[in-house]
Amino acid sequence: MQSETLGIAGCETLLRRAGSGAPLLVLHGEYGGAWAPWHDRLAQRFQVLAPDHPGFGASATPDWLDNIQDLALFHLCLLEQLGLRGVHLLGCGLGGWVAAELAMRDHSRLATLTLSNAPGVRVKGAGGLDPFMLPPEEERRACFHGPVPAMAAVEDDDTQLKNRFAYARMAWAPRLFDPHLEKWLHRVRLPTLVL
C-alpha cells in the first residue's frame, strides 16, 4: 500500500493505493479509513483507491464541508482529477451513504455500486440504531450478524475524536438519512449490490 496527499477541491486529501486491475474506490465509514486486511484482499483483484474523506483521518477539514452531499461531490471531483472511468464504487457505513449520493448525482464514471451497511434512506417500520447513543464498539457489534471483523487501528485519540466530530457533522440532523435521497435513487442505473 502506498499513501499520497493530493489537493482536491481545495482540500489536502490522503489517498491510499494498492493493487492493479480495474479501479475500486473504497469510501470508508464513520470510524475513518485506516487500511485493513480486507483492503489487501481486494487489492489482489483491483486497483484499490481508499481516500480519507475530508474532515476525517489525515485529510484536511475544508470550510465548505457541511453535509453528505458535499462529500459526494468531492469524490466526484476526485474521480475527475484522477481521470478514472469504469470505477467499481464500494461504500461502507457512512461511505455507503456518500456512494449512493454520488451515484445518484453522476454515475457516468462508475461500473458498479456496492453499499455495505449504508444509512441514508429511512425504511418505514424498520428499527434503527442510534450510533450517537452507543459506544463505538457496541455500535460495531450491532452492525454484524456473527463475529465482528477486525478493524484497522485508528492512529490516536485525536484522530478518533476528529472522525466522531465529522461523523456527527454529516449525520446528526436529520439523523442518518437524507429525506431527498429516496426519491432520486431511481437515477442510479448501475449493477448495484446492497449488503
Side-chain angles (χ1 to χ4, degrees):
M1 187 268 297
Q2 298 176 343
S3 297
E4 61 186 300
T5 301
L6 303 173
I8 300 168
C11 178
E12 292 297 307
T13 305
L14 178 71
L15 176 65
R16 298 170 186 87
R17 296 180 192 235
S20 60
L24 171 65
L25 179 62
V26 178
L27 301 183
H28 66 75
E30 48 276 15
Y31 300 108
W35 197 263
W38 59 269
H39 288 94
D40 288 324
R41 289 194 299 274
L42 289 170
Q44 292 171 6
R45 184 171 170 206
F46 298 97
Q47 176 193 5
V48 176
L49 304 154
D52 281 355
H53 299 309
F56 288 80
S59 290
T61 304
D63 292 339
W64 51 256
L65 181 64
D66 291 322
N67 53 45
I68 293 292
Q69 295 79 16
D70 289 336
L71 289 179
L73 292 168
F74 168 84
H75 288 295
L76 281 171
C77 290
L78 180 143
L79 292 175
E80 290 170 6
Q81 186 168 322
L82 296 177
L84 296 173
R85 294 205 169 277
V87 175
H88 298 281
L89 179 58
L90 165 61
C92 305
L94 181 76
W97 184 1
V98 174
E101 295 273 357
L102 182 158
M104 183 232 355
R105 282 168 173 68
D106 180 2
H107 57 271
S108 64
R109 294 179 176 273
L110 303 179
T112 64
L113 174 63
T114 302
L115 307 175
S116 175
N117 196 33
V121 173
R122 179 173 283 169
V123 178
K124 292 179 180 136
L129 163 70
D130 190 336
F132 301 111
M133 301 304 289
L134 294 174
E137 277 308 308
E138 280 185 49
E139 178 192 359
R140 285 197 42 138
R141 274 196 295 291
C143 292
F144 293 92
H145 177 74
V148 177
M151 186 172 146
V154 175
E155 295 79 6
D156 56 42
D157 289 342
D158 288 340
T159 302
Q160 287 180 344
L161 185 59
K162 178 181 179 181
N163 292 345
R164 291 295 282 178
F165 179 77
Y167 180 36
R169 187 175 183 182
M170 299 296 105
W172 188 270
R175 194 79 116 226
L176 294 169
F177 82 101
D178 174 356
H180 304 287
L181 178 59
E182 183 177 4
K183 69 183 175 185
W184 293 109
L185 276 176
H186 70 275
R187 290 184 35 81
V188 178
R189 296 180 192 98
L190 295 168
T192 301
L193 174 63
V194 179
L195 304 169

